[in-house]
Amino acid sequence: MKILVATEKPFAPVAVEGIKNVVEAAGHELALLEKGSKDDLKTAVADADGLIVRSDKVDKEVLDCAAKLKVVVRAGAGYDNIDLNEATAKGICVMNTPGQNSNAVAELVFGLLVMVYRNYYNGTSGSELKEKTIGIHAYGQVGRNVARIAKGFGMNVLAFDPFVSNEDMEAEGVTPVGSVEELYAKSDIVSLHIPANDSTRKSVVKGLIDKLPNKGVLINTARKEVIDEDSLMEALDVRRDVRYIADVKPDLADAMKEQFGDRVFFTPKKMGAQTSEANIKAGIAAAEQVVAYLKDGWNKFQVNK
Ligand code: 3PG
């Protein structure tokens, strides 16, 4: 059978090699589409039995071209790029690879924070993360890794997640808070790790950002869609001390940069999971999952049940 790896942002070559080994050892054929257009994807997917993607859009248009497709694995955590309803309607199993790239994203949170706290290394005196309070907005796999690293910096760690028990957070040395408003009010830095879905889209608004203490920082390594960008701009306009840092370039990036200068920072491309380690872990997990599904219907991480 044919397994297509289609990534606009290519995996490290060593990860592609690992994927190829897994696919070929199971007797399948690997097809690789890197930096392709949507039309390229539509053509390449036509005879694919399995598909591995990253944040690449797998919408109805793509699925309509995939007559033989049985399984899609998103090598990573967020699956908001895949039309789950359409996949379900076509009997296609969709899985993610939870946890495989979460350390990479969490490390980038601190890379970005140190850069901003040290004034972009511009020669002026900055400040330290030690004893600052970081509030983790959603305590999933990335959030947990952020907490672990934050403790190494000597930070106080708070978290809000209605789906995680207080006991689980406390067992990891994290202080749970009772509401998202409380999280923002008590955190020098809020690190966003909520997925993009119908209940979270545009949920981070001025009313929340206003609650940040003096010189508060909002850092988003999750999805641009969870921010209400107009509302964020209003908040940044009023609160001249607050900064916004994102590994996900907002739609209003140019306007924000022009209006707020160094108080905002965006990576040019989503870089959180772009390490060879994360590529190897997520890529190989994805390949193993596709192979296992094609073999006997293994679907532990199915997200469209
Ligand atoms: C994820 O959801 O796994 C991360 O946001 C990484 O996305 P990427 O594979 O597009 O880098």
Side-chain angles (χ1 to χ4, degrees), residues 214-260:
N214 188 36
K215 294 194 172 150
V217 171
L218 177 63
I219 177 162
N220 181 6
T221 54
R223 291 289 181 274
K224 69 177 180 185
E225 289 81 2
V226 302
I227 302 273
D228 182 329
E229 293 187 9
D230 291 317
S231 193
L232 168 67
M233 286 192 70
E234 281 171 35
L236 291 173
D237 197 29
V238 177
R239 287 287 306 275
R240 296 284 162 154
D241 56 305
V242 167
R243 287 168 286 182
Y244 178 64
I245 306 164
D247 180 34
V248 274
K249 207 171 170 184
D251 293 335
L252 301 181
D254 291 346
M256 287 190 202
K257 208 64 221 161
E258 195 185 318
Q259 202 171 328
F260 306 119

Short mmCIF file of all heavy atoms in Angstrom, two decimals, residues 214-260:
data_model
loop_
_atom_site.label_atom_id
_atom_site.label_comp_id
_atom_site.label_asym_id
_atom_site.label_seq_id
_atom_site.Cartn_x
_atom_site.Cartn_y
_atom_site.Cartn_z
N ASN A 214 1.30 44.33 36.01
CA ASN A 214 2.20 45.26 35.34
C ASN A 214 3.32 44.49 34.62
O ASN A 214 3.90 43.57 35.18
CB ASN A 214 2.80 46.22 36.38
CG ASN A 214 3.59 47.32 35.70
OD1 ASN A 214 3.23 47.79 34.62
ND2 ASN A 214 4.70 47.70 36.31
N LYS A 215 3.58 44.86 33.38
CA LYS A 215 4.63 44.25 32.53
C LYS A 215 4.32 42.79 32.19
O LYS A 215 5.22 41.98 31.95
CB LYS A 215 6.00 44.35 33.19
CG LYS A 215 6.49 45.77 33.32
CD LYS A 215 7.95 45.79 33.65
CE LYS A 215 8.43 47.22 33.57
NZ LYS A 215 9.50 47.55 34.43
N GLY A 216 3.04 42.45 32.20
CA GLY A 216 2.64 41.08 31.88
C GLY A 216 3.00 40.70 30.45
O GLY A 216 3.08 41.55 29.56
N VAL A 217 3.25 39.41 30.29
CA VAL A 217 3.58 38.87 28.96
C VAL A 217 2.59 37.75 28.64
O VAL A 217 2.34 36.87 29.46
CB VAL A 217 5.02 38.30 28.93
CG1 VAL A 217 5.28 37.54 27.64
CG2 VAL A 217 6.04 39.41 29.12
N LEU A 218 2.05 37.82 27.44
CA LEU A 218 1.21 36.71 26.95
C LEU A 218 2.01 36.02 25.86
O LEU A 218 2.45 36.67 24.90
CB LEU A 218 -0.10 37.26 26.38
CG LEU A 218 -1.06 36.23 25.76
CD1 LEU A 218 -1.55 35.23 26.80
CD2 LEU A 218 -2.26 36.94 25.11
N ILE A 219 2.25 34.73 26.02
CA ILE A 219 3.02 34.00 25.02
C ILE A 219 2.16 32.88 24.44
O ILE A 219 1.56 32.11 25.18
CB ILE A 219 4.38 33.49 25.57
CG1 ILE A 219 5.12 32.67 24.51
CG2 ILE A 219 4.25 32.71 26.86
CD1 ILE A 219 6.59 32.50 24.78
N ASN A 220 2.11 32.85 23.12
CA ASN A 220 1.22 31.92 22.42
C ASN A 220 2.03 31.00 21.51
O ASN A 220 2.50 31.41 20.45
CB ASN A 220 0.20 32.72 21.60
CG ASN A 220 -0.79 31.83 20.87
OD1 ASN A 220 -0.79 30.61 21.05
ND2 ASN A 220 -1.61 32.44 20.03
N THR A 221 2.22 29.76 21.96
CA THR A 221 2.86 28.78 21.09
C THR A 221 1.81 27.73 20.67
O THR A 221 2.16 26.62 20.28
CB THR A 221 4.04 28.06 21.79
OG1 THR A 221 3.58 27.51 23.02
CG2 THR A 221 5.18 29.02 22.06
N ALA A 222 0.53 28.12 20.80
CA ALA A 222 -0.56 27.19 20.48
C ALA A 222 -1.07 27.45 19.06
O ALA A 222 -0.46 27.02 18.09
CB ALA A 222 -1.66 27.30 21.52
N ARG A 223 -2.17 28.20 18.96
CA ARG A 223 -2.75 28.49 17.64
C ARG A 223 -3.15 29.95 17.59
O ARG A 223 -3.70 30.48 18.55
CB ARG A 223 -4.01 27.65 17.39
CG ARG A 223 -3.77 26.17 17.20
CD ARG A 223 -3.10 25.88 15.86
NE ARG A 223 -2.87 24.46 15.66
CZ ARG A 223 -1.80 23.79 16.09
NH1 ARG A 223 -0.84 24.42 16.76
NH2 ARG A 223 -1.67 22.51 15.85
N LYS A 224 -2.95 30.60 16.44
CA LYS A 224 -3.33 32.01 16.32
C LYS A 224 -4.84 32.17 16.50
O LYS A 224 -5.32 33.19 16.98
CB LYS A 224 -2.86 32.61 15.01
CG LYS A 224 -3.58 32.07 13.80
CD LYS A 224 -3.13 32.74 12.51
CE LYS A 224 -3.90 32.13 11.36
NZ LYS A 224 -3.50 32.60 10.06
N GLU A 225 -5.60 31.15 16.12
CA GLU A 225 -7.07 31.25 16.13
C GLU A 225 -7.65 31.43 17.53
O GLU A 225 -8.79 31.85 17.68
CB GLU A 225 -7.70 30.00 15.51
CG GLU A 225 -7.51 29.88 14.00
CD GLU A 225 -6.16 29.32 13.59
OE1 GLU A 225 -5.33 28.97 14.47
OE2 GLU A 225 -5.91 29.24 12.37
N VAL A 226 -6.90 31.09 18.58
CA VAL A 226 -7.49 31.20 19.92
C VAL A 226 -7.51 32.65 20.41
O VAL A 226 -8.16 32.97 21.40
CB VAL A 226 -6.78 30.29 20.96
CG1 VAL A 226 -6.85 28.85 20.52
CG2 VAL A 226 -5.35 30.72 21.22
N ILE A 227 -6.80 33.52 19.69
CA ILE A 227 -6.74 34.94 20.07
C ILE A 227 -7.75 35.73 19.25
O ILE A 227 -7.85 35.54 18.04
CB ILE A 227 -5.34 35.52 19.75
CG1 ILE A 227 -4.25 34.75 20.48
CG2 ILE A 227 -5.27 37.00 20.01
CD1 ILE A 227 -3.93 35.21 21.85
N ASP A 228 -8.48 36.62 19.90
CA ASP A 228 -9.28 37.60 19.18
C ASP A 228 -8.32 38.76 18.89
O ASP A 228 -7.99 39.56 19.78
CB ASP A 228 -10.46 38.05 20.04
CG ASP A 228 -11.34 39.04 19.30
OD1 ASP A 228 -10.82 39.81 18.47
OD2 ASP A 228 -12.55 39.05 19.56
N GLU A 229 -7.83 38.82 17.65
CA GLU A 229 -6.72 39.74 17.36
C GLU A 229 -7.11 41.22 17.48
O GLU A 229 -6.29 42.04 17.92
CB GLU A 229 -6.15 39.44 15.96
CG GLU A 229 -5.47 38.07 15.93
CD GLU A 229 -4.73 37.77 14.64
OE1 GLU A 229 -4.60 38.69 13.80
OE2 GLU A 229 -4.30 36.63 14.45
N ASP A 230 -8.34 41.56 17.08
CA ASP A 230 -8.76 42.97 17.24
C ASP A 230 -8.78 43.34 18.72
O ASP A 230 -8.33 44.42 19.12
CB ASP A 230 -10.16 43.18 16.64
CG ASP A 230 -10.13 43.06 15.12
OD1 ASP A 230 -9.18 43.61 14.51
OD2 ASP A 230 -11.01 42.39 14.56
N SER A 231 -9.30 42.43 19.50
CA SER A 231 -9.40 42.65 20.93
C SER A 231 -8.00 42.73 21.57
O SER A 231 -7.74 43.56 22.45
CB SER A 231 -10.22 41.50 21.51
OG SER A 231 -10.62 41.74 22.81
N LEU A 232 -7.10 41.88 21.10
CA LEU A 232 -5.71 41.92 21.59
C LEU A 232 -5.09 43.28 21.29
O LEU A 232 -4.42 43.88 22.14
CB LEU A 232 -4.89 40.80 20.92
CG LEU A 232 -3.37 40.89 21.10
CD1 LEU A 232 -2.96 40.67 22.56
CD2 LEU A 232 -2.66 39.86 20.22
N MET A 233 -5.33 43.79 20.07
CA MET A 233 -4.76 45.09 19.70
C MET A 233 -5.31 46.20 20.58
O MET A 233 -4.57 47.09 21.00
CB MET A 233 -5.00 45.38 18.22
CG MET A 233 -4.08 44.53 17.35
SD MET A 233 -4.04 45.00 15.63
CE MET A 233 -3.17 46.56 15.66
N GLU A 234 -6.60 46.11 20.89
CA GLU A 234 -7.18 47.12 21.80
C GLU A 234 -6.52 47.03 23.17
O GLU A 234 -6.19 48.05 23.79
CB GLU A 234 -8.69 46.88 21.98
CG GLU A 234 -9.54 47.37 20.83
CD GLU A 234 -10.98 46.89 20.97
OE1 GLU A 234 -11.47 46.79 22.11
OE2 GLU A 234 -11.59 46.58 19.92
N ALA A 235 -6.31 45.79 23.62
CA ALA A 235 -5.69 45.61 24.95
C ALA A 235 -4.27 46.17 24.96
O ALA A 235 -3.88 46.88 25.90
CB ALA A 235 -5.68 44.13 25.31
N LEU A 236 -3.50 45.88 23.90
CA LEU A 236 -2.11 46.35 23.85
C LEU A 236 -2.03 47.88 23.72
O LEU A 236 -1.08 48.51 24.15
CB LEU A 236 -1.37 45.69 22.69
CG LEU A 236 -1.10 44.18 22.82
CD1 LEU A 236 -0.51 43.63 21.53
CD2 LEU A 236 -0.16 43.88 23.99
N ASP A 237 -3.07 48.45 23.13
CA ASP A 237 -3.12 49.90 22.97
C ASP A 237 -3.32 50.59 24.32
O ASP A 237 -2.70 51.61 24.61
CB ASP A 237 -4.28 50.23 22.02
CG ASP A 237 -4.16 51.64 21.47
OD1 ASP A 237 -3.00 52.11 21.37
OD2 ASP A 237 -5.20 52.24 21.18
N VAL A 238 -4.16 49.97 25.15
CA VAL A 238 -4.45 50.57 26.46
C VAL A 238 -3.34 50.25 27.45
O VAL A 238 -2.87 51.11 28.18
CB VAL A 238 -5.81 50.05 27.00
CG1 VAL A 238 -6.09 50.61 28.39
CG2 VAL A 238 -6.94 50.39 26.04
N ARG A 239 -2.93 48.98 27.44
CA ARG A 239 -1.91 48.54 28.40
C ARG A 239 -0.53 48.58 27.75
O ARG A 239 -0.06 47.60 27.17
CB ARG A 239 -2.24 47.12 28.87
CG ARG A 239 -3.42 47.03 29.83
CD ARG A 239 -3.08 47.57 31.22
NE ARG A 239 -1.89 46.90 31.74
CZ ARG A 239 -1.90 45.74 32.39
NH1 ARG A 239 -3.03 45.13 32.62
NH2 ARG A 239 -0.77 45.19 32.81
N ARG A 240 0.12 49.72 27.86
CA ARG A 240 1.40 49.93 27.17
C ARG A 240 2.54 49.12 27.78
O ARG A 240 3.65 49.11 27.24
CB ARG A 240 1.75 51.43 27.21
CG ARG A 240 0.76 52.31 26.45
CD ARG A 240 1.02 52.14 24.98
NE ARG A 240 -0.08 52.59 24.14
CZ ARG A 240 0.08 53.00 22.90
NH1 ARG A 240 1.27 53.05 22.36
NH2 ARG A 240 -0.96 53.34 22.19
N ASP A 241 2.28 48.48 28.92
CA ASP A 241 3.32 47.67 29.58
C ASP A 241 3.26 46.20 29.14
O ASP A 241 4.22 45.46 29.35
CB ASP A 241 3.12 47.73 31.10
CG ASP A 241 1.72 47.27 31.50
OD1 ASP A 241 0.73 47.85 30.98
OD2 ASP A 241 1.59 46.31 32.29
N VAL A 242 2.17 45.80 28.53
CA VAL A 242 1.97 44.37 28.23
C VAL A 242 2.62 44.00 26.90
O VAL A 242 2.66 44.79 25.97
CB VAL A 242 0.45 44.05 28.21
CG1 VAL A 242 0.17 42.68 27.60
CG2 VAL A 242 -0.12 44.11 29.63
N ARG A 243 3.17 42.76 26.86
CA ARG A 243 3.79 42.28 25.62
C ARG A 243 3.12 41.01 25.13
O ARG A 243 2.61 40.23 25.93
CB ARG A 243 5.29 42.02 25.88
CG ARG A 243 6.08 43.31 26.02
CD ARG A 243 7.46 43.08 26.56
NE ARG A 243 7.44 42.75 27.98
CZ ARG A 243 8.53 42.53 28.71
NH1 ARG A 243 9.71 42.61 28.16
NH2 ARG A 243 8.44 42.23 30.00
N TYR A 244 3.16 40.81 23.81
CA TYR A 244 2.58 39.61 23.20
C TYR A 244 3.63 38.95 22.32
O TYR A 244 4.20 39.58 21.43
CB TYR A 244 1.35 39.97 22.35
CG TYR A 244 0.74 38.76 21.65
CD1 TYR A 244 0.20 37.72 22.39
CD2 TYR A 244 0.73 38.66 20.26
CE1 TYR A 244 -0.34 36.61 21.76
CE2 TYR A 244 0.18 37.55 19.62
CZ TYR A 244 -0.36 36.53 20.39
OH TYR A 244 -0.89 35.42 19.78
N ILE A 245 3.88 37.68 22.60
CA ILE A 245 4.90 36.93 21.86
C ILE A 245 4.23 35.69 21.30
O ILE A 245 3.50 35.01 22.01
CB ILE A 245 6.00 36.44 22.84
CG1 ILE A 245 6.54 37.63 23.62
CG2 ILE A 245 7.11 35.72 22.13
CD1 ILE A 245 7.30 37.18 24.82
N ALA A 246 4.51 35.41 20.04
CA ALA A 246 3.81 34.25 19.47
C ALA A 246 4.68 33.47 18.50
O ALA A 246 5.43 34.05 17.70
CB ALA A 246 2.53 34.70 18.76
N ASP A 247 4.55 32.15 18.59
CA ASP A 247 5.17 31.26 17.61
C ASP A 247 4.19 31.00 16.47
O ASP A 247 4.33 30.02 15.75
CB ASP A 247 5.58 29.94 18.28
CG ASP A 247 6.23 28.98 17.29
OD1 ASP A 247 6.93 29.48 16.39
OD2 ASP A 247 6.03 27.76 17.39
N VAL A 248 3.20 31.85 16.40
CA VAL A 248 2.18 31.69 15.37
C VAL A 248 1.86 33.10 14.90
O VAL A 248 1.26 33.89 15.61
CB VAL A 248 0.93 30.99 15.93
CG1 VAL A 248 1.08 29.50 15.86
CG2 VAL A 248 0.62 31.40 17.34
N LYS A 249 2.33 33.43 13.72
CA LYS A 249 2.18 34.79 13.21
C LYS A 249 0.70 35.15 13.10
O LYS A 249 -0.06 34.45 12.41
CB LYS A 249 2.83 34.84 11.83
CG LYS A 249 3.33 36.19 11.45
CD LYS A 249 4.14 36.09 10.18
CE LYS A 249 4.43 37.48 9.67
NZ LYS A 249 5.12 37.46 8.42
N PRO A 250 0.28 36.23 13.78
CA PRO A 250 -1.14 36.59 13.68
C PRO A 250 -1.48 37.11 12.29
O PRO A 250 -0.61 37.55 11.54
CB PRO A 250 -1.29 37.72 14.71
CG PRO A 250 0.05 37.99 15.27
CD PRO A 250 1.07 37.14 14.60
N ASP A 251 -2.78 37.10 11.98
CA ASP A 251 -3.22 37.68 10.71
C ASP A 251 -2.88 39.17 10.68
O ASP A 251 -2.58 39.72 9.63
CB ASP A 251 -4.74 37.48 10.53
CG ASP A 251 -5.07 36.00 10.36
OD1 ASP A 251 -4.18 35.25 9.90
OD2 ASP A 251 -6.20 35.61 10.71
N LEU A 252 -2.96 39.82 11.86
CA LEU A 252 -2.72 41.27 11.92
C LEU A 252 -1.26 41.59 12.29
O LEU A 252 -0.99 42.62 12.90
CB LEU A 252 -3.67 41.91 12.94
CG LEU A 252 -5.18 41.73 12.67
CD1 LEU A 252 -6.01 42.42 13.75
CD2 LEU A 252 -5.55 42.30 11.29
N ALA A 253 -0.35 40.66 11.94
CA ALA A 253 1.05 40.82 12.35
C ALA A 253 1.63 42.17 11.96
O ALA A 253 2.27 42.85 12.78
CB ALA A 253 1.89 39.70 11.76
N ASP A 254 1.41 42.59 10.71
CA ASP A 254 2.03 43.84 10.25
C ASP A 254 1.51 45.03 11.03
O ASP A 254 2.28 45.90 11.48
CB ASP A 254 1.78 44.04 8.75
CG ASP A 254 2.55 43.02 7.92
OD1 ASP A 254 3.44 42.36 8.49
OD2 ASP A 254 2.23 42.87 6.72
N ALA A 255 0.18 45.07 11.22
CA ALA A 255 -0.41 46.18 11.98
C ALA A 255 0.09 46.17 13.42
O ALA A 255 0.42 47.22 13.99
CB ALA A 255 -1.94 46.07 11.95
N MET A 256 0.20 45.01 14.00
CA MET A 256 0.67 44.91 15.39
C MET A 256 2.12 45.38 15.51
O MET A 256 2.48 46.12 16.41
CB MET A 256 0.56 43.48 15.91
CG MET A 256 -0.85 43.04 16.19
SD MET A 256 -0.87 41.44 17.06
CE MET A 256 -2.52 40.89 16.65
N LYS A 257 2.94 44.93 14.57
CA LYS A 257 4.37 45.30 14.59
C LYS A 257 4.51 46.81 14.45
O LYS A 257 5.29 47.44 15.16
CB LYS A 257 5.03 44.56 13.42
CG LYS A 257 6.47 44.21 13.52
CD LYS A 257 6.82 43.26 14.60
CE LYS A 257 8.12 43.72 15.25
NZ LYS A 257 8.42 43.21 16.54
N GLU A 258 3.72 47.37 13.53
CA GLU A 258 3.80 48.81 13.28
C GLU A 258 3.37 49.61 14.52
O GLU A 258 4.00 50.57 14.91
CB GLU A 258 2.90 49.14 12.10
CG GLU A 258 3.19 50.51 11.52
CD GLU A 258 2.19 50.86 10.43
OE1 GLU A 258 1.87 49.98 9.61
OE2 GLU A 258 1.75 52.03 10.42
N GLN A 259 2.28 49.13 15.15
CA GLN A 259 1.74 49.89 16.28
C GLN A 259 2.49 49.64 17.58
O GLN A 259 2.62 50.53 18.42
CB GLN A 259 0.26 49.52 16.45
CG GLN A 259 -0.51 50.59 17.19
CD GLN A 259 -2.01 50.30 17.14
OE1 GLN A 259 -2.52 49.75 16.16
NE2 GLN A 259 -2.71 50.67 18.19
N PHE A 260 3.00 48.42 17.77
CA PHE A 260 3.53 48.08 19.10
C PHE A 260 5.02 47.74 19.11
O PHE A 260 5.58 47.50 20.18
CB PHE A 260 2.72 46.91 19.70
CG PHE A 260 1.24 47.16 19.72
CD1 PHE A 260 0.36 46.36 19.02
CD2 PHE A 260 0.73 48.26 20.42
CE1 PHE A 260 -1.00 46.61 19.02
CE2 PHE A 260 -0.64 48.52 20.43
CZ PHE A 260 -1.51 47.70 19.73
#
